[in-house]
Amino acid sequence: MQKTLVSIITVCWNSEKYIRDTIESVLNQTYKNIQYIIIDGKSTDKTLSIIDEYKERFGDRLTLVSEKDSGIYNAMNKGLALVKGELVGIINSDDYYELDAVEKMVEQYKLHGSGVYYGFERSLKDEKEYCIVRKNPHFLKETMIAHEATFITTDIYKKIGNFDENYRIVADYDLLLRIKEAEVNFFPVNAIISNFRFGGASSSRTVWLEMFKLKHKWKIVSTPVYLCYSFAVRMEILARKILGIKDLNI
């Protein structure tokens, strides 16, 4: 009986600091029938040379594309266009999987079939465990579930569509809201799936501004609340620029 093929996508750009952790976590999975897709934005540091070190070990299971893109979700959509598997995971180049993550996901997929599979995510701050969280998708309009700890069956992407590239930071949240609206089944997985490092693109005031824009679009927040919050955050960002203070990490 043929094993389920799982496709994993990593997008990267100048990711030499942590991408080795990401790649190793995919290479050393206890479940081996994996197609690994790396979409690089034409890195100028050592990222590509690090990836080259692993080409022989992955063999034909690895697909590398290195070219300019228009943003992280443009890169993710390029990866989705290359997917051959039944189940898709996306792990960013700052983060990494637990070594049995794919095995745990496939076990549940074999039981339930088409759907969204979500597990626990360990968050790291200064390389120390900060918290372990799995949020309930029932409350998706209140809070995002961990995208790195989520695997989605390929048929859902075909039905719902890919990432909306009009968003720079929160298109993964928008995708999950679209999936939820389509009444797709979400299945919890009782295992730590991914490890997320604070400090990436999704850890700034800018992301919260775009988040409120998204929530306004989905009518999760009212127009007055959105306008007040938007004004306050824009003023804070402007003040920080004038004073030469970096964006506030949360």
Side-chain angles (χ1 to χ4, degrees):
M1 185 175 177
Q2 189 174 12
K3 283 190 172 184
T4 300
L5 177 63
V6 178
S7 297
I8 294 175
I9 300 168
T10 294
V11 302
C12 58
W13 181 73
N14 287 353
S15 303
E16 63 180 10
K17 186 174 182 180
Y18 293 123
I19 195 168
R20 192 180 297 278
D21 292 346
T22 311
I23 295 171
E24 290 274 356
S25 78
V26 177
L27 178 66
N28 295 318
Q29 285 294 308
T30 54
Y31 187 88
K32 299 299 183 184
N33 197 25
I34 294 172
Q35 174 200 19
Y36 191 29
I37 302 165
I38 300 179
I39 307 295
D40 174 71
K42 212 69 177 173
S43 291
T44 56
D45 64 355
K46 296 178 181 177
T47 298
L48 288 171
S49 63
I50 292 170
I51 296 169
D52 283 342
E53 294 176 27
Y54 292 91
K55 283 183 176 179
E56 186 175 341
R57 296 171 70 183
F58 275 101
D60 61 5
R61 296 190 300 142
L62 174 64
T63 299
L64 170 65
V65 175
S66 183
E67 60 186 24
K68 293 288 185 180
D69 57 58
S70 59
I72 187 170
Y73 297 113
N74 176 244
M76 288 183 181
N77 284 338
K78 288 179 183 180
L80 288 171
L82 297 172
V83 161
K84 297 178 181 177
E86 299 172 48
L87 194 60
V88 182
I90 298 176
I91 187 77
N92 293 332
S93 57
D94 289 333
D95 310 321
Y96 59 95
Y97 285 129
E98 289 293 294
L99 296 184
D100 61 352
V102 177
E103 180 180 350
K104 296 293 186 184
M105 290 292 178
V106 171
E107 286 174 358
Q108 294 304 306
Y109 169 63
K110 286 181 177 179
L111 289 174
H112 303 291
S114 176
V116 177
Y117 294 85
Y118 65 101
F120 290 92
E121 179 172 76
R122 178 189 289 113
S123 294
L124 303 173
K125 189 172 184 179
D126 300 327
E127 296 303 296
K128 295 179 177 62
E129 183 180 293
Y130 185 78
C131 63
I132 297 174
V133 176
R134 186 184 69 191
K135 296 176 182 176
N136 191 326
H138 177 77
F139 303 103
L140 194 57
K141 286 192 173 183
E142 296 179 21
T143 182
M144 172 73 169
I145 64 174
H147 193 257
E148 297 83 8
T150 301
F151 280 61
I152 301 172
T153 53
T154 310
D155 64 300
I156 292 173
Y157 283 109
K158 291 177 180 177
K159 177 182 177 181
I160 304 299
N162 295 348
F163 296 99
D164 184 345
E165 295 178 28
N166 290 312
Y167 294 106
R168 294 188 304 112
I169 304 172
V170 299
D172 47 351
Y173 192 13
D174 173 72
L175 176 70
L176 287 168
L177 286 168
R178 284 189 277 134
I179 291 172
K180 183 71 173 174
E181 185 180 52
E183 299 183 349
V184 170
N185 289 320
F186 284 70
F187 300 102
V189 178
N190 294 319
I192 299 174
I193 300 300
S194 60
N195 296 274
F196 168 81
R197 288 182 171 100
F198 283 111
S202 61
S203 300
S204 68
R205 279 293 187 209
T206 306
V207 70
W208 288 102
L209 187 60
E210 191 171 87
M211 181 74 76
F212 259 72
K213 180 180 178 181
L214 173 68
K215 287 191 172 187
H216 180 248
K217 170 195 164 185
W218 281 91
K219 298 181 180 179
I220 299 169
V221 298
S222 67
T223 297
V225 170
Y226 167 65
L227 291 175
C228 288
Y229 184 88
S230 176
F231 177 77
V233 173
R234 289 178 190 279
M235 290 301 99
E236 180 184 349
I237 291 172
L238 178 61
R240 287 177 174 277
K241 285 183 179 179
I242 292 171
L243 296 172
I245 302 172
K246 291 183 178 179
D247 197 7
L248 178 64
N249 283 341
I250 300 184

